[in-house]
Amino acid sequence: MFCRNQTARATVARGSALEMEIRRGKFRKSVFLDTSQDSDIQKKIDHEIRMRDGACKLLAACSQKDQALEAAKSLQTCSTRIMAYMSELQRMKEAQVMQKVTRRSSDAGPMGDRLPCKGKVAISDLRIPLMWKDTEYFKNKGELHRCAVFCLLQLGEEIFDTDMVIVDRTLTDICFDNTIVFSEASPGFELRVELYSCCSEDDYSAGSTPRKLASKLSSSLGRSAGKKLRAAMEPGPCSPVSNGGGAPLLLPVPSVPGPKYHLLAHTTLSLSHVQDSFRTHDLIISGNEECSYWLPLYGSMCCRLAAQPHCMTQQMMSGCLKVKQQCGGDPQSWTKVHAVLKGTNLFCYYRQEDVEANVEPAFTIGINKETRIRASEKDPLSKVQNICISNHYGGEEVTHTVTTDSREETHRWMEAFWQHFYDMSQWKQCCDDLMKIELPSPRKPAPITPKQGSLYHEMVIESSDDLSSNVSDILARRMQELELRSQLGTSPTWMSAFEESNARCTGRSRHCTRMSGHSPCTPHRLPRSPVSPHRCPQLGLLSSDASLTSDSDSHCSTSPCSHHHGWPEPTSSYSLLSSSPSRLRPRTLSLDAKLSTLRGRGYGGGGTFQCSCQPPPSSLLAPLPISSRSPRSKHSTQTTLSCSSSTSSNSSSNSEGSHSPESSEGGPFSRPSPARRSLRNLRARLDPRNWLQSQV
Amino acid sequence: MSFVPGQPVTAVVERVEIQKLRQGENLILGFSIGGGIDQDPGQNPFSEDKSDKGIYVTRISPKGPADLAGLKMGDKIMQVNGWDMTMVTHDQARKKLTKKREDVVRLLVTRKSLEEAVKHSKCSYPKH
């Protein structure tokens, strides 16, 4: 990495002693720097280097495979972050140089180069389908080839990693439950998603041996022999762990014997991929079948990429305005308001205090892409230009005329409007409506993945994201139409399927926060459901965050659970439909309904069977707990744990609405107390479907 | 307890003698086994080394003959009546245990705590 000092033009060569000293902090980089921004980055670099050293030490010291994998993952993340900060630093240095150069040559100040506002970008619910060959399932009874995978997400300077997931041939998808939020993204952002994987067999000494060889080795070498081999093969920098050329890493990569992650696939997402629902993107796969870290990827990735530009969430401009009365008799009457420009609206409040008090604005003027704003000619009386805001509502054009007290104010408002329009043009589809971004909950429970049986034991119907989101979008729209048209209680017959049905439940309690599950909990609506009688299906409606209860049979849908994102914003009128009480409707299971029920709603297992007959209060917004499962139900749990780890353990009929107080957010499985958990774990692993046992 | 090919396998074992119990026309021992060279060793919850394909005791019927004889869940069976159990298929193991003509089986089993017990006993008697 070259670090140009503009006065001395000194370059610091990679790997040189000076560079090493800088890395060690003996020389502060500020010797060469002159801005605080750089030292900021320098601090970050130092921090990451410390983290990396820690991860190396941990890797060298730990004996358990899981710890080693986690430590290797942190190592990879730290290395990537260091690289990113380095390049950022370099860019900044070069920009400074360029700036000083251009400043000398021209005297132009910053011309009206508008910069679009920044925004938050969130990516969540990553799901990468796998495509195993059938020979893997049926013929290969031997060792389970396991890989540990995680994703690195990089946007600009911010790099985040997801949790690590162990993948073997019983999984059909790799699912990452995390929501990653990048806070300062410009509209031209590039979000790079990289999938790293590492073979998770016993011996790491062999580095990246081909898979067949690795499995032979692992079955022929015992642990002690492997350790000896590893020690013998640890000469230092020439271990297979060393970094290839081209990386601006300054220190030689610490050679730690241990798992090393390799890049398996990557893709880049940008503004055009942002949408308020799930989409599928293509992955570029590196590596081939011979690599030890290989996984048969289907080639695509599903995720939800949402963006909230700041112009939609923050107040861009506020101040006093005078609005001309439309229908006032006196053409000179102006109403003084306190106006706030935010999102696609200009909110006008009578008093400034109303803004904080959350009082409804006096009126709202829409400011969106179709709005036209112009400054009109000077008002002869006040000598200040008026601003005319024109919108098309329906067929007619409605114009509001506003003015301010002084010319500067008018200028400022015009400037704000232009900036707002520019932002909206840059952020394109993100400015049509505010996309919801869920903040990741601070607690990160460790997911427990019991060993899965072979795939053909599972009896789950997997619905693909795209299909179901399309279907549900269509349904949602129809529902909305119906709501607008219908009165209380006259919903169509197919609605009953949603209301009664027993959808598959996906145990993501986190998504419960979006449900306002109104439940028309009238017992006699359950005549046909095989559910045990004390279970009231909770049913909200599909139109917004509606949740469907889980089924009584032990099937769970495997769709990743944040489908509620695909639903439109909650409308207040939807409660109407839920209160249609005492009508027994025949249960129609049209294809639509079936597909939607398969999508399942996020609630934790059976924990949602609240027999509340009025709309549950907003306490439902707290993540719903997942009920603890009785041991008996656990066996059926395993069968339905299909591959995508987003399924919950099932909602078999044992859940009596008992809630265990824990609210596990990411974990799709029930989480009983530790003692029971180990017992349960043991029982799960002793399942004869997994491992043959004989009684003698 | 994994092995290195070519090297002898050593383990500290306990001798367990189980009298079979006659139930109708069956002779039962009262435990279940898992493992074998034809099984997936990764699924074995008891083994320390997940490539160990030995025969392990996965369940003991309470108050059954095995329980009374002192067999514990998680034990690895090394020999049955002199027949080796470290390199057999699951079915071969089952057959060796359920011979109708034998009323008693003498097992050599090993478990982690045995190794530790020996180590401790060695330590607590330092050479004078």
Side-chain angles (χ1 to χ4, degrees):
Chain A
M1 176 192 129
F2 287 151
C3 166
R4 281 204 204 109
N5 179 316
Q6 48 268 35
T7 56
R9 293 233 148 220
T11 61
V12 184
R14 181 201 307 205
S16 70
L18 179 56
E19 193 50 73
M20 298 294 285
E21 291 300 305
I22 290 178
R23 305 251 38 67
R24 292 207 193 101
K26 296 234 157 71
F27 279 92
R28 285 305 296 163
K29 241 192 172 11
S30 55
V31 167
F32 299 103
L33 300 179
D34 50 0
T35 66
S36 63
Q37 263 182 325
D38 294 347
S39 64
D40 213 18
I41 295 219
Q42 180 61 34
K43 281 201 206 94
K44 285 193 214 163
I45 293 177
D46 288 343
H47 175 71
E48 290 300 325
I49 290 186
R50 275 199 296 276
M51 298 266 296
R52 187 173 69 174
D53 290 340
C56 293
K57 288 201 190 92
L58 182 61
L59 196 53
C62 65
S63 54
Q64 295 246 347
K65 208 193 307 182
D66 299 336
Q67 284 177 7
L69 289 169
E70 288 285 344
K73 174 171 87 100
S74 327
L75 185 62
Q76 179 72 42
T77 313
C78 292
S79 307
T80 316
R81 281 193 183 132
I82 290 173
M83 271 162 54
Y85 291 146
M86 292 294 198
S87 21
E88 178 66 23
L89 197 58
Q90 186 179 357
R91 246 201 317 269
M92 273 170 33
K93 298 301 297 171
E94 287 181 356
Q96 277 174 12
V97 173
M98 295 308 293
Q99 215 177 27
K100 295 212 168 149
V101 165
T102 52
R103 207 175 289 165
R104 274 184 239 127
S105 55
S106 74
D107 53 336
M111 263 342 272
D113 272 344
R114 264 181 216 284
L115 291 174
C117 67
K118 304 252 175 185
K120 273 207 282 198
V121 172
I123 182 168
S124 58
D125 307 294
L126 277 137
R127 186 173 73 94
I128 300 172
L130 297 167
M131 189 175 62
W132 298 99
K133 290 205 237 45
D134 52 357
T135 49
E136 294 266 357
Y137 298 133
F138 298 113
K139 297 192 188 151
N140 190 355
K141 280 164 99 179
E143 296 101 24
L144 214 55
H145 175 64
R146 279 190 208 100
C147 278
V149 299
F150 73 98
C151 263
L152 260 187
L153 300 126
Q154 177 174 7
L155 195 154
E157 260 182 32
E158 305 175 71
I159 296 180
F160 294 105
D161 58 350
T162 60
D163 292 334
M164 184 184 70
V165 172
I166 305 272
V167 174
D168 56 31
R169 67 167 182 266
T170 61
L171 251 58
T172 56
D173 303 82
I174 309 173
C175 289
F176 296 107
D177 297 343
N178 317 76
T179 304
I180 312 268
V181 178
F182 298 94
S183 29
E184 292 296 314
S186 62
F189 69 85
E190 289 210 342
L191 173 58
R192 194 173 150 89
V193 181
E194 291 173 340
L195 181 69
Y196 285 90
S197 87
C198 166
C199 178
S200 153
E201 315 273 22
D202 256 334
D203 274 307
Y204 301 124
S205 55
S208 54
T209 45
R211 196 173 98 196
K212 294 192 182 77
L213 185 56
S215 54
K216 277 197 198 142
L217 281 177
S218 69
S219 55
S220 55
L221 290 177
R223 176 182 277 177
S224 48
K227 275 198 188 128
K228 285 186 212 142
L229 200 58
R230 209 181 302 153
M233 277 181 60
E234 189 193 348
C238 40
S239 81
V241 181
S242 62
N243 210 329
L249 273 174
L250 304 171
L251 281 175
V253 176
S255 62
V256 269
K260 181 170 192 301
Y261 285 92
H262 305 264
L263 181 65
L264 182 57
H266 68 95
T267 183
T268 309
L269 304 173
S270 62
L271 187 65
S272 53
H273 298 117
V274 172
Q275 200 177 324
D276 203 5
S277 57
F278 287 95
R279 277 183 70 166
T280 309
H281 312 277
D282 289 324
L283 283 176
I284 301 162
I285 303 182
S286 40
N288 54 32
E289 277 201 11
E290 293 310 312
C291 308
S292 66
Y293 56 89
W294 170 257
L295 281 175
L297 299 177
Y298 187 73
S300 56
M301 174 184 85
C302 307
C303 66
R304 178 179 179 260
L305 186 61
Q308 274 181 356
H310 288 157
C311 62
M312 297 294 285
T313 52
Q314 296 171 0
Q315 293 184 5
M316 300 306 288
M317 175 84 187
S318 64
C320 279
L321 282 182
K322 288 192 284 203
V323 184
K324 186 189 273 190
Q325 287 294 75
Q326 289 282 356
C327 341
D330 182 5
Q332 296 309 323
S333 70
W334 296 90
T335 317
K336 230 177 177 350
V337 293
H338 179 81
V340 172
L341 176 61
K342 181 168 121 167
T344 54
N345 290 308
L346 181 70
F347 299 104
C348 301
Y349 298 89
Y350 282 127
R351 299 170 311 164
Q352 186 165 1
E353 297 73 36
D354 288 350
V355 182
E356 284 93 42
N358 271 345
V359 173
E360 285 291 313
F363 48 91
T364 305
I365 304 176
I367 309 273
N368 51 38
K369 294 184 190 141
E370 272 91 55
T371 309
R372 274 191 303 286
I373 297 188
R374 56 185 169 79
S376 67
E377 61 289 345
K378 281 203 193 3
D379 195 354
L381 288 165
S382 58
K383 299 200 180 35
V384 174
Q385 286 180 310
N386 292 345
I387 304 174
C388 295
I389 305 173
S390 311
N391 275 315
H392 274 269
Y393 291 126
E396 10 175 297
E397 177 157 344
V398 178
T399 305
H400 297 268
T401 312
V402 302
T403 188
T404 58
D405 292 325
S406 70
R407 202 177 305 175
E408 289 78 22
E409 272 293 305
T410 310
H411 188 68
R412 271 184 49 215
W413 273 99
M414 289 302 287
E415 185 60 36
F417 286 133
W418 292 132
Q419 176 68 38
H420 201 67
F421 283 142
Y422 182 70
D423 291 341
M424 293 205 290
S425 71
Q426 290 296 301
W427 281 99
K428 304 198 179 94
Q429 74 270 24
C430 309
C431 289
D432 291 335
D433 257 320
L434 187 63
M435 295 186 193
K436 287 256 186 250
I437 290 183
E438 272 180 8
L439 292 173
S441 128
R443 288 182 45 190
K444 264 199 335 168
I448 303 173
T449 319
K451 291 249 165 69
Q452 316 270 4
S454 74
L455 186 60
Y456 64 89
H457 288 305
E458 321 287 2
M459 289 170 54
V460 194
I461 305 170
E462 166 117 31
S463 62
S464 83
D465 271 341
D466 288 340
L467 170 64
S468 51
S469 69
N470 282 339
V471 168
S472 46
D473 276 343
I474 295 171
L475 285 170
R477 262 178 259 132
R478 277 164 72 184
M479 287 283 303
Q480 268 200 316
E481 287 170 6
L482 287 168
E483 275 175 44
L484 294 173
R485 276 188 271 132
S486 71
Q487 295 306 311
L488 261 165
T490 55
S491 43
T493 48
W494 53 263
M495 268 294 299
S496 66
F498 298 140
E499 293 178 50
E500 289 183 17
S501 76
N502 308 318
R504 314 280 152 101
C505 95
T506 50
R508 297 243 204 122
S509 60
R510 153 159 80 98
H511 299 282
C512 310
T513 64
R514 300 272 336 246
M515 300 188 310
S516 26
H518 297 333
S519 48
C521 181
T522 50
H524 68 264
R525 290 173 122 253
L526 305 178
R528 315 249 317 243
S529 67
V531 174
S532 52
H534 52 261
R535 279 168 67 197
C536 287
Q538 242 215 61
L539 292 198
L541 299 170
L542 284 184
S543 59
S544 15
D545 313 328
S547 57
L548 302 175
T549 59
S550 31
D551 205 339
S552 59
D553 27 297
S554 44
H555 294 214
C556 289
S557 99
T558 60
S559 51
C561 321
S562 7
H563 284 300
H564 61 268
H565 293 305
W567 295 109
E569 296 279 312
T571 56
S572 54
S573 58
Y574 96 98
S575 53
L576 295 180
L577 282 173
S578 69
S579 55
S580 45
S582 24
R583 255 179 317 132
L584 278 178
R585 282 198 227 93
R587 190 168 165 168
T588 55
L589 284 177
S590 61
L591 179 63
D592 281 351
K594 189 78 173 169
L595 282 175
S596 303
T597 61
L598 285 181
R599 275 179 35 152
R601 285 311 137 183
Y603 8 96
T608 55
F609 300 113
Q610 300 174 2
C611 293
S612 57
C613 291
Q614 51 269 355
S618 57
S619 60
L620 247 196
L621 291 180
L624 280 181
I626 299 177
S627 69
S628 46
R629 311 215 172 278
S630 66
R632 184 178 83 72
S633 66
K634 207 190 42 58
H635 287 289
S636 34
T637 293
Q638 284 143 233
T639 62
T640 58
L641 284 176
S642 90
C643 342
S644 102
S645 57
S646 63
T647 60
S648 78
S649 32
N650 74 15
S651 51
S652 82
S653 43
N654 276 329
S655 51
E656 278 141 0
S658 62
H659 303 219
S660 61
E662 58 216 89
S663 48
S664 66
E665 177 246 36
F669 309 102
S670 65
R671 302 202 306 130
S673 66
R676 293 192 75 194
R677 201 190 310 172
S678 55
L679 185 60
R680 186 159 306 175
N681 251 345
L682 189 59
R683 283 212 208 119
R685 288 147 100 190
L686 286 179
D687 186 347
R689 276 173 300 212
N690 297 349
W691 194 47
L692 185 61
Q693 290 148 67
S694 307
Q695 201 163 358
V696 294
Chain B
M1 280 187 282
S2 52
F3 69 97
V4 178
Q7 301 293 324
V9 174
T10 55
V12 182
V13 294
E14 177 182 327
R15 198 173 287 142
V16 175
E17 185 170 308
I18 307 180
Q19 304 285 341
K20 291 193 190 180
L21 181 64
R22 188 161 288 279
Q23 257 194 5
E25 59 167 41
N26 299 329
L27 277 173
I28 64 160
L29 289 162
F31 67 99
S32 297
I33 53 166
I37 54 177
D38 57 336
Q39 303 296 315
D40 178 4
Q43 305 280 353
N44 187 343
F46 301 107
S47 58
E48 254 188 52
D49 179 13
K50 288 304 171 198
S51 63
D52 184 1
K53 296 184 166 179
I55 306 291
Y56 281 77
V57 176
T58 58
R59 198 180 58 84
I60 309 261
S61 312
K63 304 290 182 245
D67 195 16
L68 297 172
L71 194 64
K72 302 274 178 280
M73 189 162 79
D75 287 353
K76 175 175 172 179
I77 304 181
M78 308 295 278
Q79 273 185 20
V80 171
N81 284 346
W83 294 100
D84 169 64
M85 290 281 125
T86 60
M87 196 55 51
V88 289
T89 64
H90 186 91
D91 209 43
Q92 283 169 349
R94 187 189 54 79
K95 283 185 179 156
K96 291 284 185 269
L97 284 163
T98 52
K99 295 240 178 264
K100 291 224 162 117
R101 303 231 179 126
E102 294 170 359
D103 282 346
V104 63
V105 287
R106 294 182 180 87
L107 312 179
L108 288 183
V109 301
T110 181
R111 59 184 85 95
K112 193 86 190 346
S113 51
L114 290 177
E115 292 260 359
E116 274 153 28
V118 170
K119 250 189 257 165
H120 285 154
S121 60
K122 279 194 195 157
C123 293
S124 43
Y125 295 102
K127 298 197 180 96
H128 295 297

